[in-house]
Each structure stands twice: as C-alpha cells, then as structure tokens.
C-alpha cells in the first residue's frame, strides 16, 4: 500500500510540474527524501518475500449474445490473505469466521468442485480469488467443467425439430459435466502446476498464515495478488458497440470474436475459383472437429475429445491416398476439419452458411452424405457406436443412405480388431458438426464415437483430457527420436479405427470393394501425429513437414486446442493443414521459386516445406508439396451479418485483457497500513503545496537557460 501511495506522489508531481527538466530533477530529489521517510515501513515488510509466479494459467472472460462467463480481477489485481482450504467444512473460515478478509483461497484440484466454487462465488465479498493446484496425476473420479448437454442451444434438436429430443431429454451426453466453465465469477481464478511456484506459495502459507494451537495467525501475513483484468462486460452486443466507439478514438478493442480457419481437402482437385453449385460433383464429407476447451485459458489438451478424431481422420486420408488416385471412386471425398465447434459450432455453421450463399466451391446440393469422427480413443473392451439422426431418417431416401453407410462401416470392421454397433434407433445424435448440416436440410450421415448414450470420456473439455488419459506415454529415458519410433498401445487401436474409417469412406464414395485390402492405415504415421499433438509438436518428423517460417511456432509441449481469436499461425489449425497436405498431397519436382510464386490455385495449392537434412549434412533439403488443402474462414456468420443478439449462430467473443500476473508477498497489519497510508497522504499534500509554491515562483527560482549539471538522482 505504502509503495503505491509513494508512487502516486511521484506521478502526481511529474504531471503537474510544468517546467521540465530542471524542475523535474528538483522534484525527484524531494521525492527521494520523502520516499526515504515514508518507505521505511514498506521496505521492511513488503520486500521480505516478493515472488512472481511464473507458470500461472488464468480463467478469462468470454461473452455471448446474452451472458458473460469466466473470471476477472480489478484493474490493479485482487489482493487477499492466503488461505489453503483443507476441506469443504473449512470454507467457514473463508466465508464467515476468518478475521482478515478478503482471502485468496488455495484449492487442491479435488476441492475444485461445483459445490465449493458456487459457495465462494456467493461469498465473493470475502473472496479475493482462487488458485487451483493442478495435480500431476489425473483425478480418478473424473472431472468435466463443461455443461452436461454440450452446445444445447445451437444444435439441431430444438422444439421445432423434435420436442422429445430437445435439451438432452432423451440422453445426457456429458453426465459428469458440472458447468463450471460457463459460470461467471467476479474474482480471478488461476491454475498453477504442482511445482516450484506451488512450493513457494505453500511455504509462505505455512510460515505465516496457519492457525497454531487454535489462535489466530499474527501479522505480517502472507498475501497474494492475482491480476487478470478484463476489458469487456455484459455481452457481445455491448462490447461490439464499445469496440466501435473506442476505435474512433484509439485503435483499442474491448473484445474479439472467437474464430479461426477450417481446413479442408478434396480427394479430387476442384476449381476453387468458381463458387456455389458444381454440376456433376457429389461429395462425401469426412469430418472431425479441431478445437477443445478447459476451464483455464491456454490449457486445452483435448486428447480424446479432439486429437483422437483428428489423428484418425488424417490417418484415414493417408490410407486413402493411393486408392483414390489409382482407382478413384465416383464421388469425391471431402476431408474437413472444423474449428471453434465447442463454442456453438462456429466452423461448421460458417461452412454451411457459405455453402448456402455461394461462398464455397460447393453447395449443399453437392453433398451426398456425411461421416463424422467424434471421440474415438478406445478404452479396454469398448466399442465404436454409429450414431444417426432419428428425425431425418423418417425420410425414406435418407434412411436408405444411412443404412448403406452403417452397413459399409459394419462390413469394414469385419477383418479388423474393432467392433461396431448401433445405439437405439430413437436416440438423437450426440453433439456434432453434422447437426449444423441437418439444420439446413435432411442429409444422410453417421457420427462415429466410442460411446453409446453418454460420453465415456471422464474429462470432457478439461485439462485432464491429456496424453496420460489416452495412455500415450513413453519411457522417460528415451530421446524424442526414440519416442517417435515407440508405439504405445493406443496407436494400434487408433490405426485400426483409421483403417475402418478409410475403407467405409471409400465404399461410401462408390469405390470398388476389391481395393479395400490395399487401404490400411500406417501405425508409424498415427504415432507421429499423436506424439506431435499430445507430447510435443517440435519433433524431427513435423519439422520436415512445415515451411521454415513456421518452425518457431512448433512448441515443446502438448498442443493447445482452444480456438482463440483469428490469427494466421494458430497452432492446431496450421498443424492440421501441413499434416493433411503431407497425407493427401504429392511431391513435385520444381524449384522453390516456382513452388512459391509461379504455381498457384485454383486446382491445387503448393507449399514449400523444409524437409530433412541428409545424413552427412546439416542443411535441410526442402521440397514442394502439391495438394488440394485449403483454409476457409471459421468466424461465426453472426459477425458477418452484424447480428450480435441472434440465437441462430454463435456469438462468442473473448475479452481483451491487461497483462496477467500473480505474486505473493507479506502484508503488514491493517493498522500499520493505514498509518503508512496516512504518512503517504501527508507527504502528498505537503508536496502539492510545495509544488505549487515552487512552480508559481519558478521564474525566480530557475533563471532561464541554466542547465543543471551537477544534479545526481
Ligand atoms: C450464453 O451463454 C450462457 C451461459 O452458458 C447461456 O446460458 C445462454 O443461453 C447463452 N446465450 C445464447 C444466446 O446462446
Ligand atoms: C525448481 O527448483 C529446483 C531447485 O530449487 C530447480 O533445480 C529447478 O530448476 C526448478 N524448476 C523450475 C521449473 O523452475
Ligand atoms: C520466476 O522466475 C524468476 C526469474 O526467472 C525467478 O527469479 C523466480 O524465483 C521464479 N519464481 C518461482 C516461484 O520459481
Ligand atoms: C502448541 O501447544 C502444544 C501443547 O499444548 C505446545 O507443546 C506447543 O509448543 C504449542 N505450539 C506453539 C507454536 O505455541
Ligand atoms: C476455374 O474457373 C474459372 C472461372 O470459371 C475459370 O476461368 C478457370 O479457367 C478454371 N480453371 C480451371 C483450371 O479449370
Ligand atoms: C489405459 O490403460 C488403463 C490401464 O491399463 C486402461 O484401463 C485404460 O482403458 C487404457 N485407456 C486407453 C484409452 O487405452
Ligand atoms: C427426402 O429428402 C430428400 C433430400 O435428401 C428430398 O429430396 C425428398 O423430397 C425427401 N422426401 C420426403 C418424403 O420428404
Ligand atoms: C525445437 O527443438 C529444437 C531442437 O530439436 C530446439 O533447438 C528449438 O529451440 C526448439 N524450438 C522451440 C520453439 O522450442
Ligand atoms: C511427407 O513427409 C515425409 C517426411 O516424413 C516425406 O518423406 C514425404 O515425401 C512427404 N510427402 C508429401 C506428399 O509431402
Ligand atoms: C528434378 O528436376 C531436375 C531438373 O528439372 C532433374 O535434374 C532431376 O533429376 C529431377 N529430380 C527427380 C527426383 O526427378
Ligand atoms: C555425403 O555422403 C555421401 C555418401 O554417403 C557422399 O557421396 C557425399 O559426398 C557426402 N556429402 C558430403 C557433403 O560430405
């Protein structure tokens, strides 16, 4: 407190002073003297322990048409006395009996429950913030901060479509979902890893704040400041309006729309200059989603919810490359990866919108059917379930196609080590991008997942949906190179699933069944992709597949699948783009110059990637990859239409924030602080008077033209 008030003196002085620089120097000299007196209390307490926390993950503010969710601190950060919660009963100390509110509550992850968090939210007058200590081992009981009925308001199952299926009436997909990630908290919530930071926090708490023998802890107490100040408030319409006002004054935004790019590629080249309907083109869409989420910003590992689907579909595309080139089926297969699906289907709703408005190289009439790969990480003795939509199946032509697709999948599984089955025919589709296509019209389609009527994923959209959960682990003493050659068990099962998907797609596209034996996914590729997404993208395999200017973006940690705001090099999107180009494209023998400048769409895209270095050289040998991979924008149509209150499309925006920091220090007693503040204010007033006197007599005091040469400060 005292330091802040001293600083305040400093700012005030320098602002009201009108005759720099000599007056300023004089002031600085005064300031030094004042600081010396007023700063005594400050130095002796506050400097004792003052640790910046290095690895913190905040929860941030998001807004939609009607609500704001997430967390925020005050502008300068919230400060509270540390209290480590031992059990739910112990909440009483924080909420009523503790003598030094507000408290900064430290929670073990097992106490990060809805019940405790809602009590803290209600008592937020005495709660300065919450720190959740992330464990090194996933909680066995499961945890999902998502809602129990994901994307409830934006899918196809509304009252108009079939009231009996709306709002998860028929089946609750994510029974463990506690909805915490959709609550609003008016204090900051951070996550810290269980490591050095946490040790420092705990030590400080033990040393200063713990009750000993039933007596209250004595000052000075250990306190923490968390700062995650968010600019946006209320809802998307409000923040968009403020954006516009702000923009005319300063180019500062208040919030940004969530969004990114979808990635797609066709098994046959397509003229991308012509938009809208293409005669004689019939496509089978093979889809997966590209994003995930967790309660905290920046950690969305999405291993099962997202990566398992991406890897399966990419491996299937790779398995199909030869067959689709040598014996092309009648229909084109369109591999599509949707972004932002977590937030009310941003990517798929935009693609459907673009198809309806002739902004995409195809339209909805070109779609023959859809096969979507949902969560497919197989756990022991689990099966794959083929979900379809009971409402559109009432149409006999749709029903017939769905049955063909299901039979194709069933017969494709015959030679493989995976079993497939269908849930009840009356059961609705799980949350899936395919629902956005059905909203537009009845299209035959199937969604493949490892669950029957509720997710088997115990960590849906949480930070625990990670490599550990998919059993993707490698012996520790291995180098990164050796790990890329080591296949965890999951690789085998995902390879089988990818083979199944590839064969079913080929048949669905009208391919010749005699080719099926040649369509087999490659476990090596599956392993390399899993490793890149779940362990580290910065590995020797992926380095070969990307252009040189992207190399710095390859991270030494698991991929973060949170969609975020639109940027050119977003991590998952770009990884999928380069992987898909490698899986479906071909290498052409041209120079780098030609690859980058001469060759161009509409039929193909060309990318110069850096390749590998030959054994006795350090110089990489790049090559040109020709593929049909494209990006298409994945920003909700609501922003295109400027309809910020619509319920037809996603309206999610992310607040802009000030720098995010966390630190701990010791605070003196409240009385001492008040005293220090008093001294600070006295100093301030005295200095104001002085300033006034000096500046009004400045002409006399500082004769013009004299430079202060000997001033030291
Ligand atoms: C906005 O989000 C809140 C919290 O999840 C939800 O209750 C509300 O229905 C959403 N509004 C719209 C228009 O989707
Ligand atoms: C944690 O502390 C130990 C020793 O105090 C140090 O060796 C190690 O590098 C630290 N780890 C991190 C991540 O700072
Ligand atoms: C954070 O990093 C700084 C410098 O890198 C270091 O001095 C400090 O001890 C670290 N804090 C913790 C809690 O490890
Ligand atoms: C707490 O009480 C026990 C026994 O009553 C005593 O031995 C111990 O010294 C006390 N500890 C402190 C820190 O006062
Ligand atoms: C693609 O379509 C455009 C517009 O119709 C046409 O001008 C161009 O020649 C076509 N390109 C190819 C390779 O067919
Ligand atoms: C991971 O291993 C455990 C124990 O071996 C098993 O129960 C679980 O099903 C496995 N999970 C996956 C995704 O293979
Ligand atoms: C069934 O759906 C198709 C489009 O997929 C449509 O052309 C046809 O009219 C529908 N039939 C009925 C009976 O609604
Ligand atoms: C990626 O790994 C290489 C070593 O293989 C290392 O030199 C480089 O700094 C890493 N890049 C990043 C962004 O961490
Ligand atoms: C894909 O990447 C591998 C390197 O792992 C490379 O040998 C191969 O030529 C690439 N293929 C294409 C089509 O880019
Ligand atoms: C690539 O093209 C160059 C010149 O056009 C030729 O000399 C070389 O042999 C080609 N390489 C391959 C692998 O075809
Ligand atoms: C690299 O090795 C090959 C044979 O292994 C040899 O022909 C070539 O000259 C070597 N290149 C360099 C630059 O040493």
């Amino acid at each position: 407190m005292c330091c802040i008030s001293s600083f305040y003196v400093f700012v005030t002085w320098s602002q009201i002073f009108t005759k720099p620089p000599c007056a300023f120097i004089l002031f600085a000299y005064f300031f030094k003297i004042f600081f010396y007196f007023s700063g005594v209390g400050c130095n002796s307490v506050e400097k004792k322990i003052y640790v910046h926390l290095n690895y913190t993950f905040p929860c941030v503010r998001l807004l939609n048409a009607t609500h704001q969710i997430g967390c925020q601190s005050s502008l300068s950060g919230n400060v509270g006395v540390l209290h480590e919660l031992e059990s739910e009963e112990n909440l009483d100390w924080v909420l009523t009996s503790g003598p030094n509110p507000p408290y900064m509550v430290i929670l073990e992850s097992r106490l990060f429950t809805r019940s405790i968090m809602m009590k803290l939210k209600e008592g937020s007058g005495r709660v300065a913030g919450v720190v959740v200590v992330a464990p090194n081992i996933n909680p066995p009981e499961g945890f999902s901060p998502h809602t129990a009925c994901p994307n409830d308001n934006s899918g196809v199952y509304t009252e108009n479509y079939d009231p009996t299926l709306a709002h998860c009436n028929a089946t609750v997909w994510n029974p463990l979902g506690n909805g915490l990630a959709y609550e609003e908290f008016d204090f900051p919530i951070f996550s810290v890893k269980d490591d050095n930071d946490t040790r420092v926090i705990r030590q400080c708490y033990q040393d200063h704040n713990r009750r000993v023998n039933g007596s209250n802890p004595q000052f000075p107490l250990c306190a923490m400041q968390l700062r995650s100040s968010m600019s946006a408030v209320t809802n998307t319409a409000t923040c968009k309006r403020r954006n516009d006002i702000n923009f005319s004054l300063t180019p500062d935004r208040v919030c940004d729309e969530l969004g990114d790019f979808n990635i797609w590629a066709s098994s046959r080249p397509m003229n991308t200059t012509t938009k809208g309907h293409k005669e004689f083109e019939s496509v089978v869409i093979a889809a997966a989603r590209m994003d995930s989420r967790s309660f905290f910003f920046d950690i969305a590992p999405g291993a099962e919810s997202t990566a398992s689907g991406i890897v399966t579909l990419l491996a299937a595309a790779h398995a199909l490359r030869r067959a689709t080139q040598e014996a092309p089926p009648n229909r084109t297969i369109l591999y599509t990866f949707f972004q932002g699906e977590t937030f009310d289907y941003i990517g798929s709703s935009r693609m459907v919108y673009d198809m309806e408005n002739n902004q995409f190289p195809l339209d909805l009439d070109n779609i023959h059917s859809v096969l979507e790969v949902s969560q497919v990480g197989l756990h022991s003795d689990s099966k794959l379930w083929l979900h379809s939509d009971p409402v559109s199946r009432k149409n006999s032509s749709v029903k017939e196609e769905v049955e063909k697709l299901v039979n194709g999948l069933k017969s494709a599984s015959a030679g493989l080590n995976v079993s497939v089955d269908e849930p009840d025919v009356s059961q609705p589709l799980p949350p899936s991008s395919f629902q956005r296509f059905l909203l537009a019209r009845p299209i035959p389609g199937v969604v493949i997942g490892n669950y029957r009527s509720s997710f088997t994923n115990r960590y849906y959209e949480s930070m625990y949906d990670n490599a550990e959960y998919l059993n993707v682990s490698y012996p520790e003493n291995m180098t990164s190179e050796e790990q890329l050659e080591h296949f965890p068990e999951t690789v085998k099962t995902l390879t089988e699933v990818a083979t199944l998907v590839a064969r079913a797609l080929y048949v669905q596209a009208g391919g010749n069944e005699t080719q099926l034996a040649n369509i087999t996914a490659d476990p090596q590729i599956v392993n390399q992709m899993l490793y890149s997404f779940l362990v580290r993208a910065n590995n020797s395999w992926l380095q070969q597949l990307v252009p040189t200017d992207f190399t710095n973006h390859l991270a030494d940690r698991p991929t973060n699948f949170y969609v975020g705001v639109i940027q050119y090099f977003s991590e998952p999107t770009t990884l999928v783009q380069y992987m898909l180009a490698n899986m479906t494209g071909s290498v052409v023998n041209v120079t780098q110059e030609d690859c980058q400048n001469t060759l161009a769409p509409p039929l193909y895209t060309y990318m110069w990637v850096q390749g590998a270095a030959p054994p006795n050289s350090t110089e990489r040998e790049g090559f040109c990859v020709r593929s049909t991979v494209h990006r298409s924008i994945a920003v909700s149509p609501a922003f295109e239409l400027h309809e910020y209150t619509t319920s037809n499309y996603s309206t999610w925006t992310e607040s802009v924030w000030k720098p995010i920091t966390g630190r701990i220090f010791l605070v003196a007693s409240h009385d001492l602080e008040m005293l220090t503040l008093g001294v600070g204010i006295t100093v301030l007033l005295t200095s104001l008077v002085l300033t006034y006197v000096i500046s009004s007599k400045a002409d006399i005091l500082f004769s013009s033209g004299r430079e202060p040469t000997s001033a030291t400060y």
Side-chain angles (χ1 to χ4, degrees), residues 33-80:
I33 297 170
F34 293 137
F35 187 81
Y36 180 77
F37 288 116
S38 69
V40 175
C42 160
N43 284 344
S44 63
V45 222
E46 206 171 301
K47 290 240 172 97
K48 238 187 202 161
I49 304 185
Y50 198 87
V51 185
H52 284 266
L53 304 176
N54 294 332
Y55 306 100
T56 53
F57 301 93
C59 138
V60 301
R61 170 138 296 164
L62 301 175
L63 311 103
N64 69 2
T66 51
H67 287 66
Q68 56 177 353
I69 62 169
C71 321
Q72 80 167 127
S73 75
S74 64
L75 193 59
S76 58
N78 286 18
V79 180

Side-chain angles (χ1 to χ4, degrees), residues 496-510:
E496 298 267 293
V497 179
T499 305
L500 170 82
V501 169
R503 290 181 181 173
L505 277 173
Y506 190 70
V507 171
Q508 183 65 12

Side-chain angles (χ1 to χ4, degrees), residues 614-617:
N616 56 0
S617 160

Side-chain angles (χ1 to χ4, degrees), residues 227-283:
R227 181 162 174 233
S228 63
S229 166
M230 303 285 152
S231 311
V233 290
T234 319
N235 57 40
T236 290
T238 310
C239 86
K240 277 286 174 188
R241 202 163 52 234
R242 291 204 184 166
N243 270 2
D244 295 342
I245 297 170
N246 270 16
F247 201 80
S248 58
L249 304 173
T250 54
D252 282 347
R253 296 170 331 279
V254 179
C255 64
D256 297 296
E257 52 241 38
L258 291 184
D260 200 322
F261 291 94
N262 298 322
I263 300 292
W264 61 273
S266 52
S267 63
R268 225 195 307 247
M270 217 183 271
N271 190 339
T272 49
T273 322
T274 54
K275 310 282 185 198
H277 189 66
K278 281 212 169 43
E279 235 179 315
F280 315 119
E281 189 69 82
S282 171
V283 300

Side-chain angles (χ1 to χ4, degrees), residues 601-654:
L603 292 186
Y604 293 103
T605 53
Y606 297 85
M607 297 189 301
W608 185 264
V609 300
Q610 61 178 3
N616 56 0
S617 160
T618 55
E619 199 73 3
R620 289 179 181 274
E621 287 179 355
F623 57 89
C624 188
V625 181
R626 185 188 73 180
S627 70
T628 58
V629 175
H630 296 275
R631 286 167 167 242
S632 76
I633 192 128
V635 168
S636 168
F639 299 103
E640 193 78 359
L641 299 164
H642 301 282
E643 288 177 6
Y644 307 132
T645 53
T646 177
S647 55
N648 298 334
Y649 297 112
S650 167
T651 49
W652 288 104
T653 48
E654 181 189 271

Side-chain angles (χ1 to χ4, degrees), residues 428-586:
L429 283 172
S432 48
S433 313
F434 177 42
Q435 291 198 17
R436 293 301 300 200
F437 287 85
L438 284 176
L439 255 178
R441 64 173 60 181
I443 292 173
V446 164
V447 176
I448 308 179
N450 62 3
Y451 47 90
R452 183 180 193 168
S453 55
S454 60
F455 296 161
T456 52
N457 187 347
R458 279 177 294 137
Y459 305 115
Y460 187 69
E461 310 274 63
S462 80
M463 59 179 164
Y464 309 119
D465 188 3
N466 51 17
E468 177 194 335
Y469 184 46
L470 275 193
N471 289 353
V472 176
S473 60
Y474 301 87
E476 280 209 350
N477 50 9
M478 280 187 174
T479 64
S480 178
E481 280 327 289
E482 288 164 341
Q483 290 177 337
L484 281 171
E485 302 293 325
H486 176 95
F487 299 175
E489 192 65 24
T490 311
V491 168
K492 293 190 191 113
T493 54
L494 278 187
T495 309
E496 298 267 293
V497 179
T499 305
L500 170 82
V501 169
R503 290 181 181 173
L505 277 173
Y506 190 70
V507 171
Q508 183 65 12
N512 191 333
E513 302 211 1
T514 57
Q515 292 286 325
L516 289 189
N518 299 336
I519 300 176
T520 321
D522 180 353
Q524 170 87 22
I525 297 270
V526 171
N527 188 47
Q528 286 162 336
M529 291 192 288
L530 269 185
Y531 187 82
S532 302
F533 285 122
L534 302 187
V535 183
R536 67 176 61 87
N538 189 12
N539 60 65
S540 64
W541 175 70
L542 200 52
Q543 280 163 4
Q544 296 171 37
L545 268 54
V546 302
T548 309
D549 58 354
F550 185 65
T551 324
N552 292 338
H553 297 261
L554 296 177
D556 276 319
R557 50 158 178 74
T559 304
N560 168 26
F561 284 103
Y562 170 69
V563 52
V565 303
I566 201 156
Q567 50 179 319
Y568 195 73
F569 276 149
S570 112
E571 199 181 350
T573 310
T574 317
L575 295 189
V576 168
Q577 181 183 353
Y578 293 127
M579 286 183 189
L580 186 59
N582 185 274
M583 301 296 140
T584 59
S586 50

